[in-house]
Amino acid sequence: MKVKFLFLGILCFFSMGAQDYIASKPDPSFPDPLNLRANWWEYFDATGEELQQKTSNFIEYLQKIEQKIPPEYSEQTGLLIDKIRNHLHAYSMQELAIVLPLNPKSYLQEYDLSAFVDLAERLWANTQNMQVDQMRIRLMKESIRKEEKSLDTLLSSYLGEEPSYEKMIKGLRIISTKISLVIDQDRMIVMEEQWKRQEKENAFTEEEVMFARQHLLLPSIAAISSWDAEINDVKSSLKKSQENVIQAQKENALFREKGYEAADVTRSMQKLLQASVQEAQYRTLLIHKEVLKAFVQLGNSKKVSVIVLNAQIEKWLEEMKNIQKDLKGAQEFSQLTFQGIFQSSSALDAHEFVKEDLLELTEKTLLDIQTEEKNLFVAEFLIDQYSLLVQEKYSTFFSKIQNFAYQFILFFKVHVTWFSESLFKIGDTPITPLALLRFLIFITMTYFIAAFLRRMLRRLGEKKRRLSSAALYTISRLVFYCVLLIGIMISLSILGIDFTALAVIFGALSVGIGFGLQAIVSNFLAGIIVLLEKKIRVGDFIELESGEKGMVKGIDVRSTLIKTSDNLEIIIPNSELVTKKFTNWTLTEKIRRVRIPFSVAYGSSKEQVRQVVIEAAKTISITLTEKEPDVWLIALGESSLDFELVVWVNEYLAISDRVVGTISRYLWVIESALVKNNISIPYPVREVHITKQ
């Protein structure tokens, strides 16, 4: 209990002393570690001499705290105060670096190939600096995020806590973390401004590259011989480097075969990688020289095939792609070797001189790879500029189409590496995204070509009335399906699929057809049969087994469209037209015989009825005059004589009067003729006899 009162007394004494010191300061935001206010940072929100004075006052205050702190807290408090002192010194000395505005350099009047290469190297340097700064910014953002999270955690535990030495220590940590956070935030601002400046500088350099390409001064054709000599020298050096690679491969294979120690095998492998990197450097240098020679040839030639130039560009890019792939493997192995040298438990433990030799080889290989990356950048820059120069020089419409197609394909070949990766296999054939894209493009083109041919045949039928529209419709449909089928077969061959490998797929499809796709396939095949048999054509008038009647408007893959006289559209599955009975009223003949029943009263003159009705039938336009109408007495009814008008009609003369409309027209004129000639139409008569019992 005495210890507790003693501790509270010391704390009160310290708190009173601190409050007296703070009270002597006019600034209410003075940071007290034991009682930090919400606006305590405003105390340090100053510049120049004012900031220096405030910093000095606060450090003096911290020194007094350090003198009065109990021994058990002195070490921890002293470390925090020293950290705060250092942070405040850095904060007071730090001023936001002024990023000077970028003044674009004036362009040269003319650029030779050497100046052009200098621009590429400047772009490389800017790109590397931007990548380094971007990484630094990313790391700084991560550090700031962690500091903000730590500060929030400290504040949440600090607020509401009773006064104690632990709370004072937390307050000191909050002050230290806050100052460090502000310093990092200020540095972040400077780094971002510097990165923006480099970005602008890079944009200015790219604009200068565009200007330089348009004002490029190329040597005369006589300089070709000197370029040829340089290329031959590079080829000779490349041949020697390839021999060195072969020798290093043999040595590495021998070390593995003889079972040498891991360090010796790794050293031989590192020598092989170094020889491979040197070979890659000569391969890149050869491309570099060949591109510069191509610049000279392009500037002195009048007419060159764009296809040939693009083929050469593609060859260079493919070679560079292979070089980059080899470099990536060498870099990964060298980095692993470099890490293994410094691991005590590594399998590379060996004599000290072996480690030193291996370390030297690895460092040299990594430096050579870094140099080669720059060489590749410059070579790729020259190839891109050469390609643009080709486009600008040969700017005809046809060449623009060629360049567009070439650049489109080249984009996926060079910049989208995953486009050449296998997604799945059909048999032994790998299917890549690029192959799928070609397949879809060709299928789309085939569909549009097939649709265009079908449309042209229909237009031909509209212009040439002598041609049967139904026949043209059938031909257009068959042409559409045939072109589409041929396009699918060619598209599958573009994918590289062996058609024997499709047997498995077709087998699987047959199972699917047997279960779920039977109706769809049946209707499709039935549609083909209907088109080929020509038992039903567009324009025919048919009557189904169900009694529905209408004109055929279209025969599609799955179904046939029929329009009734009531303007209703009926969709019939094609399989019904193959498997079920239907009546085609207009298959071979455009005429048919119609029977219209009617009745007259007993006592009427049969000859008069015959004459009157035949004359009335002849007044209708669809009645055929070649075949004389007739009237048949078909029954002696209960209360009437039952007749039938038998008449041959051509319904194509009045398409809207099909079936019901035709009968209605004849009944109309029959009734009018009978009434006009006083021939009565009887009503049913029933006699009812009532018997009384």
Side-chain angles (χ1 to χ4, degrees), residues 97 99 137 187-200:
V99 180
I137 290 172
R187 289 175 180 172
M188 170 68 75
I189 294 172
V190 175
M191 291 166 62
E192 288 179 340
E193 290 297 324
Q194 184 66 28
W195 189 86
K196 290 178 181 178
R197 185 182 187 279
Q198 289 183 350
E199 189 179 30
K200 290 180 180 179

Side-chain angles (χ1 to χ4, degrees), residues 132-145 188 191:
V132 171
D133 287 348
Q134 196 169 16
M135 182 179 65
R136 290 173 58 197
I137 290 172
R138 185 172 65 251
L139 294 175
M140 183 62 74
K141 284 183 178 179
E142 182 66 20
S143 175
I144 290 174
R145 188 185 66 80
M188 170 68 75
M191 291 166 62

Side-chain angles (χ1 to χ4, degrees), residues 523-541:
N523 287 324
F524 174 77
L525 295 177
I528 301 296
I529 293 171
V530 167
L531 288 172
L532 292 176
E533 276 190 341
K534 299 183 180 179
K535 291 295 187 291
I536 178 173
R537 301 157 300 186
V538 173
D540 284 350
F541 192 86

